[in-house]
Amino acid sequence: MVESNGAELTEQEAELYDRQIRLWGLDSQKRLRSARILISGMSGLGSEIAKNIILSGVKSVTLLDDRKVSKEEHCSQFLAPQASIGSNRAEASLPRAQQLNPMVELKADTETLDSKEAAYFKEFDVVCLIGASTAQHLRVNSICREANVKFFAADVWGMYGFSFADLQKHEFAEEVAKHVKVSKPQEKPKFETVATTVKRTLEFPPYQALVDFDFRDASYARQLKRHGTALPVQRVLQKFRDEQQRDPAYAKRTEDLQKLYQLRDTIAPEIVSDERFEFVFAQISPVAAIVGGVVAQEIIKVVSQKETPHRNVFLFNPENCCGFVEFVGTAQ
């Protein structure tokens, strides 16, 4: 849980965040003002998440990435200038990110995710991994659970988008609308809507629950029919990354499609058609914007402790151009 730690907003901050304060209250904005966020992976999706988080007025954002800016980044990475090809993605993104909100402390970290010890992640209130392997997800999630740090994992492959949240035991306030009768006994019935604030608690399972989830089980057949095959496709794409140590590349389209088909035949036989892998290359800007907006909104909700968070998987399915939330696993 993020506490305000006695943080007070300056007159300039109160003026800048006036609209947000009216939306979710002064206490929630103070919590945001005290929040320290780590975003690992400054892809197009990472830039969308960073933009929204920085604009919300958190205390600090650290951009962690050891990779270089490539031509492929220009599909969706708007924080890194085109002239920065070959430069580190975190460092290239820093100047434009800082211009979004000079009041937020920004830092670029060019070291690898694997080089970071457990103590590093415990310095943050929220950790968000983008473009990570399954092993990295599991390791960092385990560290975050031990330190009560909120954990997010997110990705975009072409037209497919995904995010996972492990908030452990999360407390939040939610406004519930009730219809109250205000008329007197002899009068015509008259009702007014009254909003009351209710405190709630939700428990979230770890990332291991997503890894262990069997979407081939008969109990999940109805969800597959209703929402499509976004979750099995995500599993295949994550497995491709784990084995190839990269994502599908358009320059190797024919070769990579065959590898994806082979993985599909092992992981999701007779569930996912070949056509589903036609549009999984690079990060398509509109999808990065949608998923990035959703993830950033969830981080803001978690830090401000306002409204019900998504529990626990969000998927964007290009089959119908819709996103949906699925609960995967069993809360402990």
Side-chain angles (χ1 to χ4, degrees):
M1 183 184 301
V2 180
E3 300 293 345
S4 61
N5 295 323
E8 295 294 336
L9 301 182
T10 65
E11 185 175 339
Q12 187 179 7
E13 288 173 328
E15 182 178 352
L16 179 63
Y17 305 131
D18 177 70
R19 184 179 177 185
Q20 297 173 187
I21 293 171
R22 293 173 186 272
L23 178 63
W24 52 55
L26 181 59
D27 287 341
S28 293
Q29 188 63 47
K30 286 182 178 180
R31 292 191 188 99
L32 280 169
R33 184 66 182 82
S34 300
R36 301 156 300 170
I37 314 296
L38 171 65
I39 300 175
S40 173
M42 285 306 296
S43 59
L45 176 58
S47 65
E48 289 284 355
I49 296 172
K51 174 198 69 177
N52 294 318
I53 294 299
I54 292 168
L55 289 173
S56 73
V58 296
K59 176 180 176 60
S60 66
V61 177
T62 298
L63 310 177
L64 173 65
D65 201 329
D66 67 306
R67 282 168 277 193
K68 306 295 183 183
V69 179
S70 66
K71 289 183 179 180
E72 216 173 41
E73 309 292 345
H74 299 319
C75 293
S76 55
Q77 223 291 20
F78 55 86
L79 290 179
Q82 292 192 10
S84 65
I85 291 178
S87 303
N88 176 269
R89 292 200 301 189
E91 290 182 332
S93 301
L94 197 61
R96 287 183 176 178
Q98 190 66 78
Q99 290 175 7
L100 292 170
N101 192 344
M103 297 185 187
V104 176
E105 301 171 17
L106 295 186
K107 177 185 177 183
D109 190 329
T110 61
E111 295 184 357
T112 65
L113 180 63
D114 289 335
S115 70
K116 298 302 184 183
E117 300 290 340
Y120 177 81
F121 301 100
K122 295 177 182 180
E123 296 177 357
F124 300 96
D125 299 298
V126 177
V127 169
C128 180
L129 303 188
I130 302 153
S133 67
T134 299
Q136 289 171 329
H137 284 141
L138 292 172
R139 172 180 173 262
V140 177
N141 182 217
S142 177
I143 294 170
C144 289
R145 288 185 71 85
E146 181 181 329
N148 194 28
V149 174
K150 309 302 184 184
F151 173 85
F152 287 84
D155 268 298
V156 166
W157 291 274
M159 294 289 289
Y160 284 90
F162 151 84
S163 73
F164 170 88
D166 177 13
L167 311 181
Q168 297 110 57
K169 187 175 182 180
H170 180 61
E171 298 177 353
F172 60 96
E174 181 180 35
E175 287 193 354
V176 177
K178 293 183 179 181
H179 297 287
V180 179
K181 188 175 181 179
V182 295
S183 57
K184 296 179 180 180
Q186 304 303 322
E187 297 178 342
K188 183 179 179 180
K190 182 180 179 181
F191 295 86
E192 288 184 357
T193 302
V194 178
T196 58
T197 301
V198 178
K199 290 187 177 181
R200 300 189 185 280
T201 301
L202 285 176
E203 294 192 18
F204 289 69
Y207 190 84
Q208 185 68 53
L210 179 62
V211 175
D212 295 339
F213 182 72
D214 186 6
F215 52 77
R216 293 173 294 184
D217 191 274
S219 62
Y220 192 67
R222 182 178 295 179
Q223 285 91 323
L224 279 176
K225 185 176 181 179
R226 181 191 308 160
H227 297 306
T229 58
L231 184 57
V233 170
Q234 182 272 335
R235 183 73 61 83
V236 173
L237 290 166
Q238 185 69 51
K239 186 66 173 178
F240 181 98
R241 176 185 293 163
D242 292 342
E243 293 188 354
Q244 303 299 320
Q245 297 185 353
R246 62 177 177 84
D247 287 336
Y250 190 79
K252 300 180 178 180
R253 178 183 175 86
T254 303
E255 174 188 341
D256 284 355
L257 281 173
Q258 292 304 314
K259 292 178 179 178
L260 288 167
Y261 297 154
Q262 292 172 5
L263 288 172
R264 181 273 317 273
D265 292 341
T266 301
I267 297 171
E270 301 180 2
I271 296 178
V272 181
S273 64
D274 291 356
E275 291 76 15
R276 297 293 171 252
F277 297 106
E278 291 292 325
F279 306 103
V280 299
F281 300 92
Q283 291 193 353
I284 306 303
S285 181
V287 180
I290 292 169
V291 179
V294 170
V295 175
Q297 174 183 281
E298 290 305 298
I299 292 175
I300 292 170
K301 283 160 61 176
V302 167
V303 171
S304 64
Q305 297 173 239
K306 294 282 286 187
E307 304 305 328
T308 307
H310 289 170
R311 187 175 181 253
N312 55 346
V313 175
F314 171 82
L315 292 156
F316 181 80
N317 188 359
E319 297 173 39
N320 52 18
C321 288
C322 289
F324 62 95
V325 178
E326 198 87 85
F327 178 67
V328 173
T330 303
Q332 296 180 343

